[in-house]
Structures are given as structure tokens and as C-alpha cells.
Amino acid sequence: MAVSFDRIKDEYERNWSNMKIRPSHADEANHAANTAIKNKDIYQQIEEKTDVPWWFVAILHSREASFNFSKYLGNGQPLNRMTTIVPKGHGPFSSFAEGAVDALRHEGFIGARDWGVARTMFRLEQYNGFGYRGRGINSPYLWSGSNIYGPPEQRGGKFVGDGEFSSSEVDKQLGAATILRAMMELDSSINLDGAPGLVGQLEPEERIAPMALLMQQSLNKLGANPPLEEDGIVGPKTKAAVAQFQQQHGITESGALDGVTVAAITRAAQQSVTVAQPADLSPVLKRLEDLMILFQSGPKVPAVPSNPAPAAADPINLLERLLTLVNKTGTVPGTTTPVAPRAAPVDQLKQVIDLLGALLNKDGKPVLGQVNGALGETIGKLLDGKKTALGIGGSVLTALLSSVTASPNAGGIAGLLGTIVSAVPGLGQFAMPISLALTAWGVLGKLEKWAQGTAPPPKVTT
């Protein structure tokens, strides 16, 4: 299930208001609170360096290292050795404070300004993961030892291993919210009023969310197992998937989305796009060959079945119909009467313009401009008599490029097109507008000449 702070903040505030420490855990909670407060000066040193509240550091220290100052705040491993579990590759550290600052930076807590009830609970649950939510259970990482988790008031259950859940187990370790409530009863300086947010200023997790979402989507495309919840939250599963990717690609295995890792994931996802199986191109290639014959020798285009409303997504069909109209000796699709040479009936002109409009249309507006002009005086002379053929041929070829799959075993035109498409990505998108512009220029130029009676006489054929 997708999780977002805005969707669950009211739930955090409601649970906090209704929470009561269970009598059976009161002594344990009081002992934990006293231990945290006794070491307040150490935690305050970390607060001075990070602006993360001292009581938040103390709660993490209790949950991750049982208040042991020789352990790393990030995962409870010894400070004097490099970490071997996520986050891997951190340390060794010369002091608890040094390791704590590293862990808080790795988790993205440094720079946060809102430490109200909802944000605090969100960050603590995020630290451990949102896996309990999918099972309809309030996270014991937050609420264990209180009436918000476990029977008789609430459902129990616990992850007893990596991905292994037991509905009959009840977490016996005190939850973070339970410890915090006990601390507040002993130290009145702790408050959860939060801080007034500045307009347009986002919390650290909000700033990283778009990039985190993109990385989760990319890792899923690369086969993340188990698949990641695409929620933009860098929780334990996302960190584990990132660490696995780093291991497979020779990157320092930290589980962090640093610049090198983000670039590598993005590159791998782009390269992993699955190539579709080659389609049967024989009908398309046959039509292409017919058009090429027309360009080379100028015979009549084979009759095309009448189709009063050709699909705009089929440029070859449209081009065939256009050719039969432009070719003075061809047959208009759907008719059997040859078009007279030098003739440009109004209805024929309308069909040509309609077909050109279907081919050259953007957002419902024609993109054709004036046919002749300064450009025609220069470039036009170089392409005199060739614009139509070059434009239509290029249009057909580039239209095919987007649907052709490269295959080392393909031969003939299919092999050629496959080679082109694999060697020049995006060629069809770039070349199609140029080709269609040449088509329009050449065809409309001819129509102008026919209308003005300046077209050359038909060539005598034998």
C-alpha cells in the first residue's frame, strides 16, 4: 500500500492522544526514560551538530542499540568496525557522537524543522518500515507497551525474520512512542509542538520523494525482489534493494541513494528496456516496394480499396491515397476513372488538401505554410522535381522506422531498417517532419503550377 504523510498524520495524532502505557510495562518505560534523561548531555551534543532533538536521538539509541554507547546508532553494530549490514560500509568511528551524526545524515533527518507529533511518529515508523500497515496492525516499533498495539485492545503480530511474519507473536520491546511518553512525564522541557513551517519550505523527506520514487520505479523495472512499494519513501526495503544493486554493480554498498548510485540506476534502467519481438512486416514491406516502384518508373499505383475515413495513425495508407491523387495518370482511391492530365478539379484538390492535413496536423491545426517564396528561390531550385518523391519516400521510411525491430537475422529491407533504427535512436521522430515538409512543398508546388497552367506537358511514353 502506498504511504504518504498527509494521509496518515491525523492517525498519528489520534493514536498519540489516546495512548496509555500498559501497567505491565510502566516500570520498564520509566527505567528507559530515566536512562535517556541521564545521558541527556551526550544527546544534546549531537543536537548541537545536527539540530535533531536530543530526545529523538535518545529514542533511536534505545531501539537500535539498547543505550549502548559503543554501538552505531544506525544499526547497532560496534563503532570500532566498519558496518556489515545496511547501512553497510560506515565507520569505524572514534566516538558515539561521530557515528550518530553519520547515521542521522544517512537517514536524512538533518535539516528537518517540523518535530511535531505527526512528523516525529512518521519518521520513527519510516526508520523501521511500513510493513505492518499492509497487515492492518499498528507498528510495534512505535506503540509496543501501550494500548495502541496488541491485545486486548488492538491486533498483535510481529515480523520475526526478514519478511517472515507471525500473527501470534507480540513484540515485547518498548515502542518509541511509549518511551517518549514516559520521558515527557519526567522532563517537562520536551515538547512536540513542532515548528511553524516556512512557505515553500519542504521537509527533507519531501525534497527527496520525487527522486526516491523514480529510483523505486527503476529498480522495479530492473527486477527488484521483492518488488518495491512506489511511494517515494526510502525505507528499509528500498535501502536493501539499493544495496543489492550497488553490490551487483561494484558500488560501495551503503544502501544510500548517493549521486553515483542514482546515475547508475538510471543508466541501467534505460538500457534494460525490453526489445519487442519482431512483427510480421511482409504486408508493410510489400506496400513499401509498390511505392518505390512508383518513384523509380512512375507506373500507376495499384488500386487501393475505398476507405472514406483512413486512420491518421496509418501514414502509409494516407500516402498511398495521396499518391493516387497527385499522380496525374493514377486512379483516385474508391473510383475507376483516371484523372485527366493537367486537370485539377476542385474536388480532387480538396481530397489532396484533406489528406495532407491528416498527415501534417498538430493539435488540430495545419502546419503548412506558403509554398513558394525566398526559400523556394534558393533551396527549391536544388530540389526541383525531386521534392515530392524525396518527401514521400522519406515519410514512408521514417514512419516504418518506429515499428521495425532490429534483428541480426533479418535480411533485405527489414534488416536495413532494423540496422538504422538500432544505430540512430529517435531517427523517425527527427526525420518525419522534414520528409513531410518536403512532401507538402513538392505536392502543393505542383498543384500551384497546374492551377496556373504553367506545369510542363506530360512526357510522351512509348
Side-chain angles (χ1 to χ4, degrees):
M1 59 175 292
V3 176
S4 71
F5 173 71
D6 289 336
R7 287 176 53 189
I8 58 180
K9 62 180 180 179
D10 291 342
E11 174 195 312
Y12 286 133
E13 292 172 352
R14 183 172 58 253
N15 284 342
W16 177 257
S17 296
N18 296 331
M19 188 190 78
K20 295 179 180 179
I21 299 174
R22 295 186 185 278
S24 57
H25 289 83
D27 290 342
E28 184 183 3
N30 189 59
H31 176 73
N34 275 305
T35 302
I37 293 171
K38 183 177 66 175
N39 297 298
K40 182 176 179 178
D41 58 336
I42 299 176
Y43 300 130
Q44 285 179 326
Q45 293 175 20
I46 299 168
E47 179 178 359
E48 290 174 0
K49 297 178 180 179
T50 63
D51 285 334
V52 177
W54 71 268
W55 46 264
F56 187 84
V57 179
I59 292 169
L60 288 182
H61 194 205
S62 171
R63 287 290 313 189
E64 299 299 321
S66 300
F67 293 117
N68 189 330
F69 284 94
S70 65
K71 301 291 181 67
Y72 176 57
L73 185 67
N75 57 22
Q77 289 196 300
L79 286 171
N80 60 358
R81 295 198 299 267
M82 183 178 292
T83 57
T84 57
I85 60 176
V86 175
K88 293 184 180 181
H90 289 237
F93 300 102
S94 60
S95 67
F96 172 76
E98 181 185 356
V101 171
D102 176 84
L104 295 172
R105 180 180 295 109
H106 175 76
E107 292 298 327
F109 294 144
I110 296 179
R113 291 292 177 267
D114 182 1
W115 291 100
V117 171
R119 277 290 180 189
T120 297
M121 298 299 114
F122 180 80
R123 288 176 179 135
L124 287 167
E125 187 172 359
Q126 173 188 334
Y127 193 93
N128 182 248
F130 295 98
Y132 287 98
R133 288 188 169 274
R135 299 176 181 274
I137 300 172
N138 293 323
S139 172
Y141 193 88
L142 283 176
W143 309 108
S144 180
S146 77
N147 61 326
I148 304 300
Y149 166 79
E153 299 93 344
Q154 304 288 342
R155 294 179 58 187
K158 181 183 178 182
F159 283 99
V160 294
D162 188 12
E164 183 181 354
F165 180 80
S166 172
S167 58
S168 61
E169 291 286 330
V170 175
D171 196 335
K172 296 180 174 57
Q173 185 178 1
L174 287 178
T178 306
I179 297 171
L180 179 57
R181 174 60 62 81
M183 290 173 65
M184 293 180 71
E185 291 175 357
L186 297 176
D187 189 333
S188 59
S189 68
I190 302 173
N191 71 79
L192 299 178
D193 295 336
L198 299 177
V199 176
Q201 179 175 317
L202 300 176
E203 291 296 299
E205 56 266 26
E206 294 172 329
R207 292 195 294 269
I208 197 177
M211 183 271 290
L213 174 60
L214 179 60
M215 292 301 98
Q216 289 168 335
Q217 293 170 339
S218 298
L219 288 168
N220 281 336
K221 289 179 182 178
L222 294 170
N225 187 20
L228 300 176
E229 190 72 54
E230 296 177 2
D231 53 14
I233 297 174
V234 185
K237 289 184 179 179
T238 297
K239 293 174 187 174
V242 170
Q244 184 180 36
F245 176 89
Q246 291 169 328
Q247 182 185 45
Q248 294 170 347
H249 292 78
I251 303 172
T252 301
E253 193 178 344
S254 65
L257 287 170
D258 52 54
V260 173
T261 302
V262 169
I265 293 174
T266 302
R267 183 167 55 251
Q270 291 175 342
Q271 294 173 349
S272 70
V273 177
T274 303
V275 178
Q277 293 298 317
D280 181 11
L281 293 177
S282 55
V284 177
L285 294 177
K286 177 63 170 63
R287 294 166 68 183
L288 176 62
E289 290 170 358
D290 290 340
L291 290 173
M292 294 305 295
I293 292 172
L294 174 70
F295 298 150
Q296 293 172 1
S297 58
K300 296 181 181 181
V301 178
V304 181
S306 177
N307 181 9
D314 185 4
I316 296 179
N317 184 290
L318 290 170
L319 286 166
E320 284 179 338
R321 299 190 66 199
L322 179 60
L323 280 169
T324 59
L325 292 167
V326 174
N327 182 21
K328 294 188 291 292
T329 60
T331 303
V332 178
T335 71
T336 57
T337 305
V339 179
R342 300 284 305 277
V346 174
D347 59 340
Q348 183 181 351
L349 286 173
K350 185 178 185 302
Q351 292 182 65
V352 171
I353 298 302
D354 287 344
L355 285 169
L356 282 173
L359 283 167
L360 300 172
N361 189 284
K362 181 179 182 181
D363 300 327
K365 298 178 181 179
V367 296
L368 296 179
Q370 188 173 354
V371 177
N372 294 317
L375 186 61
E377 293 296 324
T378 54
I379 302 175
K381 291 180 180 179
L382 298 175
L383 299 176
D384 189 28
K386 305 179 182 66
K387 296 187 292 294
T388 307
L390 288 172
I392 296 177
S395 299
V396 174
L397 289 172
T398 52
L400 287 173
L401 289 179
S402 62
S403 62
V404 175
T405 302
S407 172
N409 300 321
I413 297 177
L416 175 62
L417 294 177
T419 302
I420 294 173
V421 107
S422 61
V424 189
L427 178 60
Q429 295 178 355
F430 175 79
M432 178 65 86
I434 299 175
S435 301
L436 291 180
L438 284 172
T439 304
W441 190 6
V443 171
L444 294 183
K446 284 182 173 60
L447 290 176
E448 282 182 352
K449 292 178 181 180
W450 295 341
Q452 297 168 4
T454 59
K459 292 183 179 180
V460 178
T461 58
T462 58

